[in-house]
Amino acid sequence: MRKFNQTVLVILILFGILSCVEEGQQIPLGEFEKGVLVINEGAFGVNDGEIYHYDPITGLIKSNIFEGKNRRPFAGLIQDMVEAEGRLYLVANTGKVEVVDPRDFLSKGAVVEGLDISRSIVTTNQKLFIADWGPYDANFNSPNSYVAVVDDLDGGGITKKIPVSSRPEKMFVSGNQIFVATTAGKKLEVISLDSETITSFQDLEGSPGGFFELLGTLILYAYDAEMVYFHQIDKTTGNIQGVLPVGLKWATSNFTLSEDGEMLIITSTGWPDYNDAIARVSIVNRQVLNEAIFTGSGFYGIGYHPGLKEIYVGDNNGFQGNGTVIVLDQNGQQKKSFAVGRGPSGFLVKE
Amino acid sequence: MIFLASFIQCLFLGMGFNNGIPEEGLKNSFILDSIGEILPLDTVELVPVEVFSPSLEKYTYGQLVRRMKDDDLESFQGLSLSDYLQQRTGLFLRQYGAGMLASLTMRGTSAGHNAVFWNGLPINSPSLGQTDFSILPIGGFDELYLHFGSGGALYGTDAIGGAVHLNSKLKFGQGHGLQLGTHAGSFGRWNQQVQYGFSSEKISLRTRVYKNVAQNDFLFRNIAKPGTPIERQEHAAFQQTGISQDLAFQLSSDQLLSSSLWYNQTEREIQPVIGSNTLDEQIDRNLRWVMDYFKFIGKATWNFKTGLLKDHLIFNGSQNSTMQLFLIGDLDWEISPGISSKSGIRYTHIQGKLSTYSAQEDRLELYQSTNLSLSEDLHVSINLRQFIYEGNFAPFTPSLGMDWLILSNKGQELKFNTNGARSFKVPTLNDRFWEPGGNPDLAPESSWNAELGVSHIWRRGSLMLNQRLTHYQMWVNNWIIWLPKGSIWSPENIREVHNKGLEYFLDADYKMENWTFELQGNYNWTSAINQSEITDNDRSAGNQLPYTPVHKFQTLLGIKRGIWNTYVNYQFTGSRFVGTDNQDIIPSFQLWDWGIRMREIETTWIKGSIGIQINNIMNTSYQVMRLRAMPGRNYQINIQIKL
């Protein structure tokens, strides 16, 4: 009888454990934890920035998911979307950061006071650091740019503004430092998280477009009318160790990493011809593999899905109405297109 | 015939006659009052006689020109023309906030597709191609006419969807007069106006000074923030000051000289979009001057007009100035009882000194208008205009309109109206010369308009009903759109639009003993369908144009008894699309207003009136344009005193 009781007890314990494991496995994924989130920047003066969700497997598109889930419009121009610390941060260049749950897009908080023209965000030390151009002066310059500090990952009030050179754009956290690339100042500046002040700065070649890591190396992409530049940065000191220039005309700040040390860059002749193209560039080999795997006009954002090997190109359709996402294969052949919101400017691929 | 009769009457008035009575007759002990009844006079007084101005309706057979009621304008003293048009007509204005930029759309066209005139001078900005109706205060003019539909042959550039006329109106023979007006309201609104006038039988002078201020700090729901809190609007205050000076001088029995000057300055904090924290500021300074010389020879009237418009716009310190000089001459004469004609020429010199470029331009227009009375019941207007700018010929613009009186008896009158017209809009200076992005190769926008209407007047005892229904079709091509070319925006002649719609107007009066019941109604059904696509991925063809409501309805029910007058006003504005692909919609809204007015309170020395209005009685939260907050329930009190 005792043996029987022990056996029953063991069975019950095992059943309980298995039940727990099964329940753990049954937790469904959040509605937006897989697929492609499309950033639609919105039109100036209308402030109709929004996020769309695209399921590349089913082709299903969910529109205006911020407004749909929170029953209020985003009401801003979305400049950046960053997932960190179990949250999704939507940065509006109209002076606002919305914090949502990445699983269901329900609002968790916001930063709504004290920002001017916010551009991007990083998190570290349980704090938010928001790059902001600061207010325009009479000549539409930005002499009072800063990085705003918020002491709560869910948003709230700004506790400090760290002055930086004009127009901070992208940032990267490395150890106890934040690297800040400024587009008007054309500088790489290092913020010490201990003192929350700028500790060093260096001049950049070209206008910075963004940071990324490749084979363990931190790289800052920059561009001008004739060349693109890959600044190799020492992650410990923030020093620029070298600059790899590659000849590519009319590059823009819009790029995405693809595979094998390659990146895709939107090029645009701009006004008056306004011919856009997608260029494929090998960073490792420092050469342009193809100047135009796809051409058109109105290209406003680019993304890459490594699993499906699909390229997503945002077409702004002249900002007269909503935009279009063009789906290309790896070779630049159009597979399909679908309608999204106003000014599709970026993609967050969640595999 | 009615128009011809009114023209002849105007000629007589201009020559010092009043309703057909020679001047010396005015010294007799009887005069005609405004409704033609003969009244005895205890004492000899000067008789008000309106200073002659050309009839705006004369060559518009087949078209609709509405003069808005003076009573309505009076209750909007100190408020903007945009407020009046939005609340009291079927027209839709794109208002970018309370007291902020307001542009008019007529018959589904865009902001620059209507011409705006002040005393016969076109006041649309040559650089922007449009007028901001929010900075035109009602107190700055006396008469408001709305011309619905294509008016290019009559008015020149811009009049694709219609035209708005603001006129000063002086009178002779009124002696001295001082008027004080004050208007106070919610959100720090305080308007003050002082007017002094003097007129004899030969000369009439009037000076007006006004100042309008508003904090505009109304409450609104901030839907851009978590929890959508109710907040007070910030950075939306404005201040407006102005002065106008009008003069008319009867040089002789057949010559008249008149002149008007209007300076208006508006300083505004630009109300930010909900969720935005912009701190833009704008100052508009507008100087307008016009002088007319009329010479009456038999059945002919010569009119020589000159004028100057100076517009100065400062946006966040960025300066933009334009100047327009006009020289106009025309001859209006009655060739025979059934034929009248007007032939004219207009020269315009434009100078623009904008923040990114400077430009100047000379324009020449030749125009001819003819009225033919084919019978007592059938009248035709033929208008022709050729516009030349810097050696470029704008599209030749003809129009042909007809009024046909089908039925006329004591009880009712039924009339058919039809009109076909071409119109155009010359590319603005910014369209062509803005640096960077201006496109000097742009062609003028061009339109064809056809309309058919029926108007009906019905009288039965004390009931009078006047209504009109018009159906129009309009095709606009070479529509100019600014498109992004990378980081630079540049305009192109790219859009084609087919507009069609219905306009319905109703005016009804019913008198019952001491009571008068009044009903006004306006309904506009507007279909403005884009026919063209900009790119392969564009999805705008076949869609309604953005911010163009399909339906707008407005009605006012008024009751008068003695000196008391009360009304309820209702407007419904249908939903509007935000973009050309019709994906995002701004909801429709309904607003109710109520007002009461005590008129003609009279003592020995002063006359006056006092009115109270409550706007948006239901405290409806609404937006005319996306994310532009509008005020909820608000109160106004309006006092007019005449000494």
Side-chain angles (χ1 to χ4, degrees):
Chain A
M1 189 63 190
R2 191 176 171 190
K3 246 184 182 178
F4 174 78
N5 286 343
Q6 284 178 340
T7 306
V8 169
L9 186 63
V10 169
I11 289 169
L12 285 173
I13 290 169
L14 282 172
F15 182 78
I17 291 169
L18 287 172
S19 298
C20 289
V21 170
E22 275 183 11
E23 276 181 8
Q25 287 172 338
Q26 281 178 346
I27 292 172
L29 279 173
E31 192 177 357
F32 306 113
E33 283 191 280
K34 277 205 166 193
V36 181
L37 292 172
V38 183
I39 304 171
N40 302 284
E41 182 182 281
F44 179 76
V46 185
N47 288 10
D48 52 352
E50 252 297 355
I51 305 297
Y52 277 42
H53 180 264
Y54 169 61
D55 185 334
I57 307 301
T58 63
L60 191 66
I61 296 154
K62 291 177 181 168
S63 62
N64 298 334
I65 59 177
F66 181 91
E67 182 167 359
K69 293 294 176 183
N70 296 292
R71 316 305 300 166
R72 62 184 171 89
F74 179 78
L77 299 175
I78 305 178
Q79 198 63 36
D80 199 8
M81 180 165 63
V82 173
E83 187 167 2
E85 307 284 358
R87 296 163 178 83
L88 197 59
Y89 295 95
L90 308 177
V91 181
N93 72 10
T94 37
K96 180 173 76 164
V97 175
E98 292 275 4
V99 188
V100 299
D101 188 321
R103 293 168 297 183
D104 54 17
F105 251 76
L106 288 174
S107 176
K108 292 174 74 73
V111 183
V112 292
E113 302 289 346
L115 295 171
D116 293 288
I117 305 171
S118 29
R119 306 293 293 182
S120 65
I121 191 168
V122 291
T123 62
T124 184
N125 292 353
Q126 297 297 301
K127 292 182 180 180
L128 307 179
F129 292 84
I130 304 162
D132 196 300
W133 284 7
Y136 288 124
D137 69 6
N139 299 312
F140 289 99
N141 295 317
S142 309
N144 298 310
S145 298
Y146 55 86
V147 172
V149 184
V150 177
D151 289 348
D152 188 332
L153 291 173
D154 286 334
I158 292 169
T159 54
K160 186 174 185 179
K161 290 184 177 179
I162 306 167
V164 295
S165 63
S166 183
R167 298 193 174 175
E169 200 66 44
K170 296 296 184 184
M171 298 184 289
F172 187 87
V173 178
S174 179
N176 207 31
Q177 301 171 109
I178 297 175
F179 304 150
V180 184
T182 63
T183 52
K186 290 191 177 176
K187 287 185 170 54
L188 174 65
E189 299 181 327
V190 179
I191 293 175
S192 162
L193 291 174
D194 291 332
S195 62
E196 293 187 344
T197 56
I198 295 284
T199 55
S200 68
F201 62 87
Q202 296 157 86
D203 291 332
L204 295 170
E205 295 286 343
S207 184
F211 295 93
F212 59 89
E213 287 185 287
L214 184 67
L215 304 173
T217 303
L218 178 62
I219 294 175
L220 172 61
Y221 161 77
Y223 62 96
D224 62 23
E226 300 290 333
M227 311 284 285
V228 295
Y229 306 93
F230 301 103
H231 299 75
Q232 294 175 297
I233 299 165
D234 184 325
K235 286 199 282 188
T236 308
T237 63
N239 290 334
I240 298 171
Q241 296 174 313
V243 180
L244 307 177
V246 177
L248 178 67
K249 280 189 167 183
W250 306 310
T252 68
S253 61
N254 273 312
F255 73 95
T256 187
L257 292 180
S258 53
E259 293 174 14
D260 303 325
E262 293 176 7
M263 68 190 295
L264 300 162
I265 302 171
I266 294 179
T267 64
S268 179
T269 60
W271 185 75
D273 298 329
Y274 196 37
N275 295 316
D276 293 351
I278 309 296
R280 185 192 300 282
V281 176
S282 170
I283 307 162
V284 177
N285 297 323
R286 296 171 56 187
Q287 64 176 7
V288 177
L289 302 174
N290 189 337
E291 282 190 350
I293 65 167
F294 186 70
T295 59
S297 65
F299 296 171
Y300 206 61
I302 189 166
Y304 183 73
H305 194 303
L308 299 173
K309 301 190 186 307
E310 286 181 335
I311 303 166
Y312 305 114
V313 181
D315 179 348
N316 63 31
N317 289 339
F319 277 99
Q320 299 302 305
N322 283 351
T324 300
V325 170
I326 304 163
V327 182
L328 309 176
D329 68 15
Q330 263 189 317
N331 300 314
Q333 295 299 309
Q334 182 169 341
K335 294 172 70 176
K336 62 184 287 192
S337 67
F338 56 90
V340 289
R342 188 95 75 136
S345 58
F347 302 87
L348 184 60
V349 176
K350 304 176 78 173
E351 290 190 280
Chain B
M1 277 307 290
I2 294 167
F3 293 120
L4 280 175
S6 67
F7 170 63
I8 293 165
Q9 186 184 38
C10 287
L11 281 180
F12 277 109
L13 290 172
M15 288 185 278
F17 287 72
N18 179 33
N19 290 348
I21 300 175
E23 269 188 326
E24 54 270 25
L26 299 175
K27 296 188 177 70
N28 295 336
S29 57
F30 295 92
I31 63 164
L32 296 172
D33 78 350
S34 59
I35 56 170
E37 293 174 345
I38 297 175
L39 302 173
L41 278 181
D42 294 332
T43 55
V44 175
E45 350 183 303
L46 293 171
V47 179
V49 179
E50 286 192 346
V51 173
F52 170 80
S53 60
S55 167
L56 287 166
E57 299 150 316
K58 184 175 177 186
Y59 292 102
T60 62
Y61 286 125
Q63 301 187 62
L64 176 60
V65 180
R66 296 186 76 199
R67 179 178 172 183
M68 309 315 286
K69 291 183 176 178
D70 293 345
D71 286 355
D72 282 355
L73 293 177
E74 192 175 328
S75 63
F76 276 77
Q77 286 288 319
L79 301 179
S80 69
L81 181 55
S82 55
D83 290 333
Y84 172 77
L85 293 174
Q86 195 82 294
Q87 289 183 39
R88 294 296 170 84
T89 72
L91 299 174
F92 176 70
L93 289 99
R94 296 166 184 162
Q95 290 178 289
Y96 291 76
M100 300 295 119
L101 169 67
S103 57
L104 175 64
T105 172
M106 297 182 85
R107 293 190 169 178
T109 56
S110 78
H113 288 163
N114 45 75
V116 184
F117 290 84
W118 172 73
N119 289 315
L121 295 184
I123 62 170
N124 273 353
S125 160
S127 58
L128 299 170
Q130 58 178 288
T131 291
D132 181 354
F133 285 78
S134 70
I135 59 172
L136 293 173
I138 292 289
F141 50 88
D142 302 304
E143 293 179 340
L144 170 63
Y145 287 86
L146 301 176
H147 181 127
F148 293 81
S150 185
L154 275 167
Y155 308 127
T157 185
D158 302 351
I160 289 177
V164 176
H165 297 268
L166 318 174
N167 290 341
S168 307
K169 197 69 188 171
L170 289 179
K171 291 178 180 176
F172 288 122
Q174 290 197 298
H176 296 275
L178 179 65
Q179 285 188 34
L180 307 171
T182 188
H183 182 120
S186 305
F187 321 127
R189 175 171 285 281
W190 192 39
N191 305 334
Q192 302 291 314
Q193 179 166 315
V194 179
Q195 171 182 312
Y196 169 74
F198 167 77
S199 63
S200 65
E201 292 173 17
K202 295 286 186 189
I203 194 165
S204 180
L205 296 162
R206 184 180 60 191
T207 304
R208 275 184 185 145
V209 182
Y210 57 83
K211 180 170 185 174
N212 308 321
V213 298
Q215 283 303 310
N216 235 357
D217 53 351
F218 54 87
L219 295 172
F220 74 104
R221 184 172 292 282
N222 190 338
I223 55 176
K225 288 184 178 178
T228 62
I230 299 290
E231 295 184 351
R232 197 165 284 285
Q233 181 67 55
E234 294 180 351
H235 197 76
F238 67 85
Q239 174 173 303
Q240 186 171 55
T241 52
I243 182 169
S244 67
Q245 175 67 59
D246 300 295
L247 161 73
F249 183 41
Q250 189 92 40
L251 299 170
S252 65
S253 63
D254 61 354
Q255 294 183 85
L256 174 71
L257 186 70
S258 66
S259 174
S260 292
L261 178 79
W262 184 14
Y263 176 74
N264 185 61
Q265 173 169 307
T266 309
E267 298 171 51
R268 280 184 289 187
E269 297 172 339
I270 301 299
Q271 178 183 325
V273 178
I274 295 176
S276 177
N277 51 11
T278 52
L279 297 173
D280 297 326
E281 293 184 350
Q282 182 170 323
I283 302 172
D284 290 88
R285 298 190 184 113
N286 308 101
L287 177 67
R288 305 178 178 109
W289 169 72
V290 64
M291 186 169 72
D292 282 283
Y293 169 76
F294 295 99
K295 172 75 174 173
F296 309 100
I297 305 171
K299 294 179 178 177
T301 304
W302 285 95
N303 178 200
F304 297 100
K305 182 192 290 280
T306 185
L308 180 74
L309 303 177
K310 293 189 78 168
D311 298 322
H312 191 197
L313 186 155
I314 306 168
F315 183 79
N316 288 342
S318 173
Q319 312 252 350
N320 297 279
S321 299
T322 58
M323 185 275 288
Q324 299 180 80
L325 174 68
F326 299 91
L327 295 172
I328 304 166
D330 58 43
L331 169 64
D332 193 345
W333 61 308
E334 188 184 334
I335 298 170
S336 71
I339 304 173
S340 54
S341 163
K342 185 176 185 177
S343 309
I345 184 169
R346 178 161 76 190
Y347 165 76
T348 311
H349 175 72
I350 299 172
Q351 288 183 357
K353 190 176 180 188
L354 288 298
S355 60
T356 69
Y357 70 93
S358 293
Q360 60 179 19
E361 180 166 289
D362 292 299
R363 298 175 172 180
L364 191 66
E365 295 164 77
L366 302 170
Y367 52 93
Q368 168 64 41
S369 297
T370 308
N371 272 355
L372 303 173
S373 294
L374 303 178
S375 73
E376 272 199 13
D377 303 329
L378 186 61
H379 305 281
V380 173
S381 286
I382 302 167
N383 297 291
L384 309 169
R385 181 176 293 256
Q386 180 62 61
F387 185 105
I388 306 160
Y389 63 105
E390 291 296 304
N392 302 305
F393 281 67
F396 175 67
T397 42
S399 77
L400 174 63
M402 183 180 73
D403 277 4
W404 183 21
L405 189 62
I406 303 289
L407 173 67
S408 179
N409 58 41
K410 196 174 179 182
Q412 60 183 327
E413 184 179 297
L414 184 67
K415 191 191 290 181
F416 278 110
N417 330 96
T418 186
N419 183 63
R422 193 179 195 193
S423 282
F424 66 97
K425 179 178 176 64
V426 170
T428 66
L429 297 184
N430 285 358
D431 287 339
R432 285 176 285 158
F433 305 121
W434 187 263
E435 285 290 343
N439 182 355
D441 299 324
L442 286 172
E445 298 171 285
S446 167
S447 74
W448 284 98
N449 178 80
E451 63 186 85
L452 180 66
V454 56
S455 53
H456 182 220
I457 298 173
W458 190 73
R459 303 179 197 89
R460 186 65 51 89
S462 300
L463 176 64
M464 198 281 291
L465 191 144
N466 186 352
Q467 56 187 331
R468 176 162 172 150
L469 179 68
T470 303
H471 171 65
Y472 62 84
Q473 299 257 354
M474 180 158 47
W475 295 264
V476 187
N477 56 35
N478 281 334
W479 191 309
I480 293 171
I481 300 290
W482 282 72
L483 295 171
K485 306 285 186 184
S487 59
I488 292 169
W489 290 62
S490 183
E492 290 181 34
N493 290 107
I494 202 163
R495 186 176 281 173
E496 291 183 22
V497 177
H498 178 205
N499 298 6
K500 60 184 177 183
L502 290 172
E503 291 166 344
Y504 176 72
F505 305 101
L506 169 71
D507 276 306
D509 279 310
Y510 178 66
K511 291 185 174 61
M512 188 175 69
E513 297 178 351
N514 295 326
W515 297 83
T516 301
F517 299 90
E518 178 188 37
L519 180 67
Q520 297 172 21
N522 294 284
Y523 170 68
N524 280 12
W525 173 72
T526 307
S527 166
I529 305 298
N530 181 24
Q531 305 293 309
S532 52
E533 291 182 338
I534 296 167
T535 64
D536 292 343
N537 291 319
D538 188 13
R539 298 177 296 277
S540 58
N543 294 336
Q544 180 84 351
L545 292 184
Y547 292 115
T548 307
V550 175
H551 305 283
K552 183 169 179 193
F553 174 70
Q554 175 270 332
T555 187
L556 181 144
L557 174 65
I559 302 173
K560 294 179 184 173
R561 188 176 191 277
I563 62 171
W564 292 96
N565 174 12
T566 184
Y567 70 86
V568 175
N569 186 67
Y570 168 79
Q571 59 161 307
F572 168 83
T573 301
S575 56
R576 287 87 63 218
F577 294 108
V578 177
T580 53
D581 50 7
N582 289 186
Q583 294 298 303
D584 299 314
I585 295 177
I586 302 178
S588 61
F589 61 87
Q590 305 174 64
L591 300 176
W592 292 88
D593 310 315
W594 173 80
I596 187 166
R597 190 165 191 82
M598 190 162 56
R599 300 173 53 82
E600 302 300 325
I601 310 161
E602 194 163 357
T603 67
T604 310
W605 294 101
I606 64 170
K607 283 199 295 189
S609 63
I610 181 169
I612 296 169
Q613 290 172 248
I614 306 175
N615 297 318
N616 192 1
I617 295 170
M618 304 298 182
N619 204 23
T620 301
S621 176
Y622 70 104
Q623 295 168 13
V624 179
M625 305 292 285
R626 181 185 156 86
L627 297 179
R628 307 282 177 165
M630 297 296 286
R633 185 184 302 116
N634 60 91
Y635 307 89
Q636 293 170 1
I637 182 166
N638 185 327
I639 301 169
Q640 300 278 333
I641 297 170
K642 297 178 183 177
L643 300 172

